[in-house]
Amino acid sequence: MPVYKAPLEDISFVLNDVLNAEQLSKLPGFEDATPDLISSVLEEAAKLCENVLQPLNRSGHEEGCHYENGVVRTPKGFKEAYETYREGGWQGLAFDPDYGGQGLPHTVGFVLEELMCSSNMAFAMYPGLTHGAMNAIRAHASDELKAQYLPKMVSSEWSGTMCLTEPHCGTDLGLMKTKAVPSDDGSYRITGTKIFISAGEHDLTSNIIHLVLAKLPDAPPGIKGISLFLVPKFLPNENNEPGVRNGVMCGSIEHKMGIMANATCVMNFDDAKGWLVGEPHKGMRAMFTMMNSARLGVGMQGLGVAAVAYQNAVAYAKDRIQGRSLSGVKAPDKAADPIIVHPDVRKNLMQAKAFTEGARALGYWVGMMIDLVEKHPDPVVRQEADDFVALLTPVVKAYFTDMGYEVATNSQQMYGGHGYIREWGMEQFVRDARIAMIYEGANGIQALDLVGRKLPQNLGRLLRRFFHPMQAELEQSQENPALLEFVIPVAKAFGKLQQATAVVAQKGMARPDEAGAASTDYLRIFGLVAVGWMWLKMVKVAQAKLAEGADGKESFYDAKIKTARFFVEKMLPEVDFRFKSLMSGAKSMMEMDADQF
Ligand SMILES: Cc1cc2nc3c(=O)[nH]c(=O)nc-3n(C[C@H](O)[C@H](O)[C@H](O)COP(=O)(O)OP(=O)(O)OC[C@H]3O[C@@H](n4cnc5c(N)ncnc54)[C@H](O)[C@@H]3O)c2cc1C
């Protein structure tokens, strides 16, 4: 059975030593969010995840959800766990106090997200979808809708969904058929079928609030003609309690590869009553608020699964004895050495460690930027932070989830045949991690978003938010000889990223297929460089701490430096390969006729 221990020491290192999260408490509204308070909140979060959610992960996977006549039952123990989650007020952790939230920084919310996804990704999706819906309602709905729905969602009494996908349209939402017809009372009647709706129906909450994309009768064709509607499962009565059943029913649930304990539903809307969120035909804008939040959340799923898979692989590699070390016996008292002595096993463990810890720093940093966007008094800083988040969102989503899957499968590999056997639990991590590469915009679409939308936006302004501070940090770090073994490879990789950016911009202008063909390689280069930057930051802190005396944590800081070395020597060279592939252009992908395949 897999185990999980929240990596609080590592989290504290990133938050307090690398990112200086103390600065958050200087922002208006976050005065209480001191490092001490954040640390005690995270200790409680760790207890929830280790003691309540993680023990249900395997059983939830084995049992799955049950569907009968439109009703969905979650696996045994989920209702009680959700109740514990609700009582703890976790849903409102980083949400506006005006609606009952605790108003803590989003950075803390990002940590919670990681811990929940490590301990039970399928469970985490129920509150995760609610969180995205809350954000969209807060940003775009009328004051009346906000007052009616948000407090119930913030308290976890009601949950939320996002309903975009239809049988014939996933990526291309312009093909949408679901219709919304205005009623005389200002509401709308929604009719259509949505598929693959996560948490569309379940028994955890007394009401479910669907955010549904649909087309008004006068909608212009394509993506520009989509509007967003709030459609509750039960229409609230005069006491704002679930009243009459609305015309929305779950038609079935999917039998799928992973996240078995999260219901993936076909949702039939049949003249269901709903309310417009935001302006008519501007639904994609409103839905993007939800999707951006969800994309970052999905990135944290990749990180969360990688972190728990890694933890278990390390424990197994220290325990499992097979063969002898190539450099001589390491455990003479045993019949064989533990497999952690073998270089190939080490390679997988180091890759998992280097990705997980580097991505953790990057993910939390993006979380901090969201806090600046919301709270910083200076509009220039807010704009800069917003640009940074927009640029990094596709990178976090796609790079983290591609790597989450890679780490999960490499960690499964560490178990040999036992990794393939269900009871060891490693196959679940592989299964769960796989979906994160697909939903919330498949990773190929994230790469197109980065190359096609984020790079050219405001004449490259978003890019400068990343390039300029990174350049400055590299220049400043070059002056320290102890850092050179890290600075040089990171600077080289950064140079390749800059070159790739110029090539993509230049070629893409003339021939869009060239930009499309380059996009996945480009995003990967971006992810590697961004995590390389994080490792540079972490090495600096670790070296400084060791120089100061390290206070009994010599091994911890030393491990950081060793892991950074692995990252720059073994993982960062992928940039060269990706760059070469990118430079070869689109021809070899595109020259074949479709009927030659
Ligand atoms: C378990 C699960 C949970 C989900 N939860 C939700 C949910 O809660 N709400 C919701 O609305 N949806 C949900 N989805 C749907 C999910 O977001 C879609 O499956 C996804 O967006 C892809 O759409 P599609 O399946 O129609 O694939 P398609 O759009 O048909 O795409 C097929 C492939 O072609 C690629 N492709 C398509 N167009 C392009 C292009 N222009 N350029 C490059 N590549 C392209 C895609 O990347 C993909 O690899 C869920 C799906 C699953 C399986």
Side-chain angles (χ1 to χ4, degrees), residues 129 162-165 169-172 195-198 256 259 264 435 438-442 445 448:
L129 267 302
M162 53 190 286
C163 301
L164 291 75
T165 309
C169 85
T171 304
D172 187 356
I195 62 164
F196 297 158
I197 303 309
S198 299
K256 55 194 193 289
I259 51 166
T264 306
I435 185 59
I438 299 172
Y439 57 21
E440 272 322 314
I445 302 300
L448 285 180

PDB file of all heavy atoms in Angstrom, residues 129 162-165 169-172 195-198 256 259 264 435 438-442 445 448, ligand 1:
ATOM      1  N   LEU A 129     -13.002  21.650  -8.647  1.00  0.00           N
ATOM      2  CA  LEU A 129     -13.954  22.210  -9.614  1.00  0.00           C
ATOM      3  C   LEU A 129     -14.780  23.320  -8.972  1.00  0.00           C
ATOM      4  O   LEU A 129     -15.065  24.343  -9.602  1.00  0.00           O
ATOM      5  CB  LEU A 129     -14.893  21.095 -10.118  1.00  0.00           C
ATOM      6  CG  LEU A 129     -14.518  20.347 -11.408  1.00  0.00           C
ATOM      7  CD1 LEU A 129     -14.378  21.288 -12.587  1.00  0.00           C
ATOM      8  CD2 LEU A 129     -13.287  19.499 -11.298  1.00  0.00           C
ATOM      9  N   MET A 162     -17.716  22.611 -14.248  1.00  0.00           N
ATOM     10  CA  MET A 162     -17.597  23.392 -15.483  1.00  0.00           C
ATOM     11  C   MET A 162     -18.031  22.508 -16.648  1.00  0.00           C
ATOM     12  O   MET A 162     -17.479  21.433 -16.869  1.00  0.00           O
ATOM     13  CB  MET A 162     -16.192  23.952 -15.668  1.00  0.00           C
ATOM     14  CG  MET A 162     -15.067  22.977 -15.587  1.00  0.00           C
ATOM     15  SD  MET A 162     -13.470  23.825 -15.547  1.00  0.00           S
ATOM     16  CE  MET A 162     -13.307  24.359 -17.241  1.00  0.00           C
ATOM     17  N   CYS A 163     -19.042  22.994 -17.373  1.00  0.00           N
ATOM     18  CA  CYS A 163     -19.646  22.179 -18.432  1.00  0.00           C
ATOM     19  C   CYS A 163     -19.361  22.799 -19.795  1.00  0.00           C
ATOM     20  O   CYS A 163     -20.093  23.694 -20.244  1.00  0.00           O
ATOM     21  CB  CYS A 163     -21.152  22.070 -18.220  1.00  0.00           C
ATOM     22  SG  CYS A 163     -21.613  21.349 -16.643  1.00  0.00           S
ATOM     23  N   LEU A 164     -18.315  22.321 -20.435  1.00  0.00           N
ATOM     24  CA  LEU A 164     -17.942  22.822 -21.763  1.00  0.00           C
ATOM     25  C   LEU A 164     -18.159  21.750 -22.827  1.00  0.00           C
ATOM     26  O   LEU A 164     -18.813  21.973 -23.841  1.00  0.00           O
ATOM     27  CB  LEU A 164     -16.454  23.199 -21.793  1.00  0.00           C
ATOM     28  CG  LEU A 164     -15.925  24.385 -21.010  1.00  0.00           C
ATOM     29  CD1 LEU A 164     -15.835  24.109 -19.537  1.00  0.00           C
ATOM     30  CD2 LEU A 164     -14.560  24.776 -21.524  1.00  0.00           C
ATOM     31  N   THR A 165     -17.591  20.570 -22.560  1.00  0.00           N
ATOM     32  CA  THR A 165     -17.443  19.558 -23.606  1.00  0.00           C
ATOM     33  C   THR A 165     -18.779  18.952 -24.024  1.00  0.00           C
ATOM     34  O   THR A 165     -19.643  18.678 -23.193  1.00  0.00           O
ATOM     35  CB  THR A 165     -16.497  18.446 -23.093  1.00  0.00           C
ATOM     36  OG1 THR A 165     -15.308  19.063 -22.596  1.00  0.00           O
ATOM     37  CG2 THR A 165     -16.137  17.467 -24.177  1.00  0.00           C
ATOM     38  N   CYS A 169     -17.751  18.201 -29.694  1.00  0.00           N
ATOM     39  CA  CYS A 169     -16.817  19.325 -29.556  1.00  0.00           C
ATOM     40  C   CYS A 169     -16.122  19.330 -28.201  1.00  0.00           C
ATOM     41  O   CYS A 169     -16.757  19.290 -27.151  1.00  0.00           O
ATOM     42  CB  CYS A 169     -17.499  20.652 -29.855  1.00  0.00           C
ATOM     43  SG  CYS A 169     -18.380  21.442 -28.550  1.00  0.00           S
ATOM     44  N   GLY A 170     -14.797  19.314 -28.275  1.00  0.00           N
ATOM     45  CA  GLY A 170     -13.976  19.374 -27.061  1.00  0.00           C
ATOM     46  C   GLY A 170     -13.038  20.560 -27.182  1.00  0.00           C
ATOM     47  O   GLY A 170     -13.281  21.637 -26.643  1.00  0.00           O
ATOM     48  N   THR A 171     -12.001  20.382 -27.997  1.00  0.00           N
ATOM     49  CA  THR A 171     -11.049  21.470 -28.208  1.00  0.00           C
ATOM     50  C   THR A 171     -11.719  22.643 -28.917  1.00  0.00           C
ATOM     51  O   THR A 171     -11.524  23.805 -28.545  1.00  0.00           O
ATOM     52  CB  THR A 171      -9.871  20.954 -29.073  1.00  0.00           C
ATOM     53  OG1 THR A 171      -9.307  19.819 -28.430  1.00  0.00           O
ATOM     54  CG2 THR A 171      -8.812  22.023 -29.244  1.00  0.00           C
ATOM     55  N   ASP A 172     -12.531  22.332 -29.940  1.00  0.00           N
ATOM     56  CA  ASP A 172     -13.137  23.379 -30.762  1.00  0.00           C
ATOM     57  C   ASP A 172     -14.542  23.700 -30.250  1.00  0.00           C
ATOM     58  O   ASP A 172     -15.545  23.192 -30.755  1.00  0.00           O
ATOM     59  CB  ASP A 172     -13.182  22.889 -32.216  1.00  0.00           C
ATOM     60  CG  ASP A 172     -13.644  23.981 -33.162  1.00  0.00           C
ATOM     61  OD1 ASP A 172     -14.004  25.077 -32.677  1.00  0.00           O
ATOM     62  OD2 ASP A 172     -13.642  23.733 -34.379  1.00  0.00           O
ATOM     63  N   ILE A 195     -20.758  16.245 -22.066  1.00  0.00           N
ATOM     64  CA  ILE A 195     -20.142  14.965 -21.667  1.00  0.00           C
ATOM     65  C   ILE A 195     -18.852  15.215 -20.891  1.00  0.00           C
ATOM     66  O   ILE A 195     -18.312  16.314 -20.920  1.00  0.00           O
ATOM     67  CB  ILE A 195     -19.849  14.042 -22.873  1.00  0.00           C
ATOM     68  CG1 ILE A 195     -18.839  14.692 -23.832  1.00  0.00           C
ATOM     69  CG2 ILE A 195     -21.132  13.664 -23.596  1.00  0.00           C
ATOM     70  CD1 ILE A 195     -18.217  13.700 -24.817  1.00  0.00           C
ATOM     71  N   PHE A 196     -18.408  14.165 -20.214  1.00  0.00           N
ATOM     72  CA  PHE A 196     -17.136  14.180 -19.464  1.00  0.00           C
ATOM     73  C   PHE A 196     -17.145  15.241 -18.364  1.00  0.00           C
ATOM     74  O   PHE A 196     -16.107  15.881 -18.108  1.00  0.00           O
ATOM     75  CB  PHE A 196     -15.945  14.477 -20.390  1.00  0.00           C
ATOM     76  CG  PHE A 196     -15.685  13.454 -21.478  1.00  0.00           C
ATOM     77  CD1 PHE A 196     -14.964  13.799 -22.620  1.00  0.00           C
ATOM     78  CD2 PHE A 196     -16.115  12.154 -21.351  1.00  0.00           C
ATOM     79  CE1 PHE A 196     -14.691  12.874 -23.614  1.00  0.00           C
ATOM     80  CE2 PHE A 196     -15.858  11.213 -22.349  1.00  0.00           C
ATOM     81  CZ  PHE A 196     -15.148  11.580 -23.479  1.00  0.00           C
ATOM     82  N   ILE A 197     -18.273  15.470 -17.730  1.00  0.00           N
ATOM     83  CA  ILE A 197     -18.326  16.542 -16.733  1.00  0.00           C
ATOM     84  C   ILE A 197     -17.880  15.996 -15.371  1.00  0.00           C
ATOM     85  O   ILE A 197     -18.582  15.189 -14.735  1.00  0.00           O
ATOM     86  CB  ILE A 197     -19.737  17.172 -16.666  1.00  0.00           C
ATOM     87  CG1 ILE A 197     -20.120  17.688 -18.058  1.00  0.00           C
ATOM     88  CG2 ILE A 197     -19.784  18.280 -15.616  1.00  0.00           C
ATOM     89  CD1 ILE A 197     -19.082  18.601 -18.735  1.00  0.00           C
ATOM     90  N   SER A 198     -16.719  16.449 -14.930  1.00  0.00           N
ATOM     91  CA  SER A 198     -16.165  15.986 -13.654  1.00  0.00           C
ATOM     92  C   SER A 198     -17.047  16.484 -12.515  1.00  0.00           C
ATOM     93  O   SER A 198     -17.415  17.668 -12.497  1.00  0.00           O
ATOM     94  CB  SER A 198     -14.751  16.537 -13.456  1.00  0.00           C
ATOM     95  OG  SER A 198     -13.915  16.083 -14.475  1.00  0.00           O
ATOM     96  N   LYS A 256     -13.499   4.533 -16.820  1.00  0.00           N
ATOM     97  CA  LYS A 256     -12.315   5.148 -17.407  1.00  0.00           C
ATOM     98  C   LYS A 256     -11.003   4.616 -16.837  1.00  0.00           C
ATOM     99  O   LYS A 256     -11.012   3.729 -15.986  1.00  0.00           O
ATOM    100  CB  LYS A 256     -12.415   6.669 -17.241  1.00  0.00           C
ATOM    101  CG  LYS A 256     -12.617   7.152 -15.813  1.00  0.00           C
ATOM    102  CD  LYS A 256     -13.039   8.621 -15.834  1.00  0.00           C
ATOM    103  CE  LYS A 256     -12.943   9.257 -14.468  1.00  0.00           C
ATOM    104  NZ  LYS A 256     -13.957   8.802 -13.507  1.00  0.00           N
ATOM    105  N   ILE A 259      -8.571   8.187 -11.987  1.00  0.00           N
ATOM    106  CA  ILE A 259      -9.450   9.007 -11.131  1.00  0.00           C
ATOM    107  C   ILE A 259     -10.847   8.357 -11.003  1.00  0.00           C
ATOM    108  O   ILE A 259     -11.881   8.988 -11.199  1.00  0.00           O
ATOM    109  CB  ILE A 259      -9.544  10.487 -11.600  1.00  0.00           C
ATOM    110  CG1 ILE A 259      -9.870  10.620 -13.079  1.00  0.00           C
ATOM    111  CG2 ILE A 259      -8.290  11.257 -11.223  1.00  0.00           C
ATOM    112  CD1 ILE A 259     -10.311  12.033 -13.494  1.00  0.00           C
ATOM    113  N   THR A 264     -17.240  11.077 -13.648  1.00  0.00           N
ATOM    114  CA  THR A 264     -17.153  11.781 -14.938  1.00  0.00           C
ATOM    115  C   THR A 264     -18.493  11.554 -15.639  1.00  0.00           C
ATOM    116  O   THR A 264     -18.808  10.436 -16.040  1.00  0.00           O
ATOM    117  CB  THR A 264     -15.995  11.211 -15.783  1.00  0.00           C
ATOM    118  OG1 THR A 264     -14.800  11.261 -15.009  1.00  0.00           O
ATOM    119  CG2 THR A 264     -15.805  11.994 -17.060  1.00  0.00           C
ATOM    120  N   ILE A 435      -4.726  11.597 -17.092  1.00  0.00           N
ATOM    121  CA  ILE A 435      -5.792  12.507 -17.532  1.00  0.00           C
ATOM    122  C   ILE A 435      -5.347  13.967 -17.500  1.00  0.00           C
ATOM    123  O   ILE A 435      -5.803  14.790 -18.294  1.00  0.00           O
ATOM    124  CB  ILE A 435      -7.089  12.314 -16.695  1.00  0.00           C
ATOM    125  CG1 ILE A 435      -8.236  13.178 -17.245  1.00  0.00           C
ATOM    126  CG2 ILE A 435      -6.871  12.619 -15.227  1.00  0.00           C
ATOM    127  CD1 ILE A 435      -8.612  12.919 -18.669  1.00  0.00           C
ATOM    128  N   ILE A 438      -4.557  15.549 -20.588  1.00  0.00           N
ATOM    129  CA  ILE A 438      -5.622  15.635 -21.604  1.00  0.00           C
ATOM    130  C   ILE A 438      -6.621  16.747 -21.311  1.00  0.00           C
ATOM    131  O   ILE A 438      -6.937  17.561 -22.186  1.00  0.00           O
ATOM    132  CB  ILE A 438      -6.373  14.276 -21.699  1.00  0.00           C
ATOM    133  CG1 ILE A 438      -5.414  13.162 -22.123  1.00  0.00           C
ATOM    134  CG2 ILE A 438      -7.567  14.388 -22.645  1.00  0.00           C
ATOM    135  CD1 ILE A 438      -6.008  11.762 -22.055  1.00  0.00           C
ATOM    136  N   TYR A 439      -7.157  16.767 -20.072  1.00  0.00           N
ATOM    137  CA  TYR A 439      -8.250  17.735 -19.871  1.00  0.00           C
ATOM    138  C   TYR A 439      -7.729  19.148 -19.585  1.00  0.00           C
ATOM    139  O   TYR A 439      -6.526  19.352 -19.481  1.00  0.00           O
ATOM    140  CB  TYR A 439      -9.278  17.255 -18.851  1.00  0.00           C
ATOM    141  CG  TYR A 439      -8.848  16.905 -17.437  1.00  0.00           C
ATOM    142  CD1 TYR A 439      -7.684  17.372 -16.849  1.00  0.00           C
ATOM    143  CD2 TYR A 439      -9.678  16.089 -16.656  1.00  0.00           C
ATOM    144  CE1 TYR A 439      -7.356  17.044 -15.542  1.00  0.00           C
ATOM    145  CE2 TYR A 439      -9.346  15.757 -15.355  1.00  0.00           C
ATOM    146  CZ  TYR A 439      -8.192  16.247 -14.806  1.00  0.00           C
ATOM    147  OH  TYR A 439      -7.872  15.925 -13.529  1.00  0.00           O
ATOM    148  N   GLU A 440      -8.669  20.072 -19.491  1.00  0.00           N
ATOM    149  CA  GLU A 440      -8.326  21.497 -19.337  1.00  0.00           C
ATOM    150  C   GLU A 440      -7.482  22.010 -20.503  1.00  0.00           C
ATOM    151  O   GLU A 440      -6.554  22.801 -20.307  1.00  0.00           O
ATOM    152  CB  GLU A 440      -7.553  21.721 -18.034  1.00  0.00           C
ATOM    153  CG  GLU A 440      -8.404  21.980 -16.850  1.00  0.00           C
ATOM    154  CD  GLU A 440      -9.594  22.835 -17.175  1.00  0.00           C
ATOM    155  OE1 GLU A 440      -9.436  23.857 -17.859  1.00  0.00           O
ATOM    156  OE2 GLU A 440     -10.706  22.469 -16.766  1.00  0.00           O
ATOM    157  N   GLY A 441      -7.791  21.521 -21.691  1.00  0.00           N
ATOM    158  CA  GLY A 441      -6.987  21.855 -22.864  1.00  0.00           C
ATOM    159  C   GLY A 441      -5.838  20.872 -22.918  1.00  0.00           C
ATOM    160  O   GLY A 441      -4.925  20.932 -22.083  1.00  0.00           O
ATOM    161  N   ALA A 442      -5.896  19.944 -23.883  1.00  0.00           N
ATOM    162  CA  ALA A 442      -4.834  18.938 -24.022  1.00  0.00           C
ATOM    163  C   ALA A 442      -3.483  19.670 -24.113  1.00  0.00           C
ATOM    164  O   ALA A 442      -3.429  20.841 -24.503  1.00  0.00           O
ATOM    165  CB  ALA A 442      -5.087  18.099 -25.273  1.00  0.00           C
ATOM    166  N   ILE A 445      -2.536  21.728 -26.990  1.00  0.00           N
ATOM    167  CA  ILE A 445      -3.265  23.005 -27.090  1.00  0.00           C
ATOM    168  C   ILE A 445      -2.610  24.047 -26.175  1.00  0.00           C
ATOM    169  O   ILE A 445      -2.561  25.233 -26.496  1.00  0.00           O
ATOM    170  CB  ILE A 445      -4.758  22.799 -26.724  1.00  0.00           C
ATOM    171  CG1 ILE A 445      -5.393  21.739 -27.642  1.00  0.00           C
ATOM    172  CG2 ILE A 445      -5.535  24.100 -26.760  1.00  0.00           C
ATOM    173  CD1 ILE A 445      -5.366  22.068 -29.114  1.00  0.00           C
ATOM    174  N   LEU A 448       0.184  25.473 -28.078  1.00  0.00           N
ATOM    175  CA  LEU A 448      -0.287  26.459 -29.073  1.00  0.00           C
ATOM    176  C   LEU A 448      -0.651  27.772 -28.387  1.00  0.00           C
ATOM    177  O   LEU A 448      -0.419  28.856 -28.932  1.00  0.00           O
ATOM    178  CB  LEU A 448      -1.519  25.925 -29.803  1.00  0.00           C
ATOM    179  CG  LEU A 448      -1.267  24.838 -30.841  1.00  0.00           C
ATOM    180  CD1 LEU A 448      -2.583  24.412 -31.480  1.00  0.00           C
ATOM    181  CD2 LEU A 448      -0.302  25.332 -31.917  1.00  0.00           C
TER     182      LEU A 448
HETATM  183  C1  LIG B   1     -11.869  12.183 -17.047  1.00  0.00           C
HETATM  184  C2  LIG B   1     -12.241  13.412 -17.806  1.00  0.00           C
HETATM  185  C3  LIG B   1     -12.715  14.516 -17.124  1.00  0.00           C
HETATM  186  C4  LIG B   1     -13.101  15.664 -17.821  1.00  0.00           C
HETATM  187  N1  LIG B   1     -13.667  16.721 -17.157  1.00  0.00           N
HETATM  188  C5  LIG B   1     -14.251  17.715 -17.876  1.00  0.00           C
HETATM  189  C6  LIG B   1     -15.057  18.718 -17.228  1.00  0.00           C
HETATM  190  O1  LIG B   1     -15.188  18.732 -16.018  1.00  0.00           O
HETATM  191  N2  LIG B   1     -15.657  19.644 -18.003  1.00  0.00           N
HETATM  192  C7  LIG B   1     -15.541  19.667 -19.356  1.00  0.00           C
HETATM  193  O2  LIG B   1     -16.135  20.519 -19.998  1.00  0.00           O
HETATM  194  N3  LIG B   1     -14.764  18.738 -20.006  1.00  0.00           N
HETATM  195  C8  LIG B   1     -14.144  17.775 -19.296  1.00  0.00           C
HETATM  196  N4  LIG B   1     -13.391  16.822 -19.934  1.00  0.00           N
HETATM  197  C9  LIG B   1     -13.220  16.923 -21.359  1.00  0.00           C
HETATM  198  C10 LIG B   1     -11.813  17.312 -21.779  1.00  0.00           C
HETATM  199  O3  LIG B   1     -11.546  18.634 -21.402  1.00  0.00           O
HETATM  200  C11 LIG B   1     -11.713  17.066 -23.297  1.00  0.00           C
HETATM  201  O4  LIG B   1     -11.688  15.667 -23.486  1.00  0.00           O
HETATM  202  C12 LIG B   1     -10.521  17.748 -23.904  1.00  0.00           C
HETATM  203  O5  LIG B   1     -10.710  19.131 -23.896  1.00  0.00           O
HETATM  204  C13 LIG B   1     -10.265  17.307 -25.343  1.00  0.00           C
HETATM  205  O6  LIG B   1     -11.451  17.348 -26.108  1.00  0.00           O
HETATM  206  P1  LIG B   1     -11.866  16.077 -26.957  1.00  0.00           P
HETATM  207  O7  LIG B   1     -11.852  14.893 -26.046  1.00  0.00           O
HETATM  208  O8  LIG B   1     -13.131  16.368 -27.661  1.00  0.00           O
HETATM  209  O9  LIG B   1     -10.698  15.897 -27.999  1.00  0.00           O
HETATM  210  P2  LIG B   1     -10.578  16.609 -29.420  1.00  0.00           P
HETATM  211  O10 LIG B   1     -10.887  18.042 -29.326  1.00  0.00           O
HETATM  212  O11 LIG B   1     -11.348  15.810 -30.421  1.00  0.00           O
HETATM  213  O12 LIG B   1      -9.029  16.464 -29.703  1.00  0.00           O
HETATM  214  C14 LIG B   1      -8.420  15.214 -30.061  1.00  0.00           C
HETATM  215  C15 LIG B   1      -6.920  15.426 -30.138  1.00  0.00           C
HETATM  216  O13 LIG B   1      -6.617  16.361 -31.175  1.00  0.00           O
HETATM  217  C16 LIG B   1      -5.839  17.427 -30.671  1.00  0.00           C
HETATM  218  N5  LIG B   1      -6.255  18.674 -31.294  1.00  0.00           N
HETATM  219  C17 LIG B   1      -7.507  19.109 -31.533  1.00  0.00           C
HETATM  220  N6  LIG B   1      -7.478  20.295 -32.121  1.00  0.00           N
HETATM  221  C18 LIG B   1      -6.204  20.653 -32.256  1.00  0.00           C
HETATM  222  C19 LIG B   1      -5.532  21.785 -32.777  1.00  0.00           C
HETATM  223  N7  LIG B   1      -6.175  22.834 -33.264  1.00  0.00           N
HETATM  224  N8  LIG B   1      -4.187  21.778 -32.756  1.00  0.00           N
HETATM  225  C20 LIG B   1      -3.494  20.762 -32.231  1.00  0.00           C
HETATM  226  N9  LIG B   1      -4.072  19.677 -31.721  1.00  0.00           N
HETATM  227  C21 LIG B   1      -5.410  19.611 -31.726  1.00  0.00           C
HETATM  228  C22 LIG B   1      -6.121  17.467 -29.179  1.00  0.00           C
HETATM  229  O14 LIG B   1      -5.048  18.035 -28.456  1.00  0.00           O
HETATM  230  C23 LIG B   1      -6.315  16.008 -28.853  1.00  0.00           C
HETATM  231  O15 LIG B   1      -5.062  15.412 -28.609  1.00  0.00           O
HETATM  232  C24 LIG B   1     -12.954  15.696 -19.236  1.00  0.00           C
HETATM  233  C25 LIG B   1     -12.430  14.587 -19.918  1.00  0.00           C
HETATM  234  C26 LIG B   1     -12.104  13.455 -19.217  1.00  0.00           C
HETATM  235  C27 LIG B   1     -11.607  12.264 -19.999  1.00  0.00           C
END
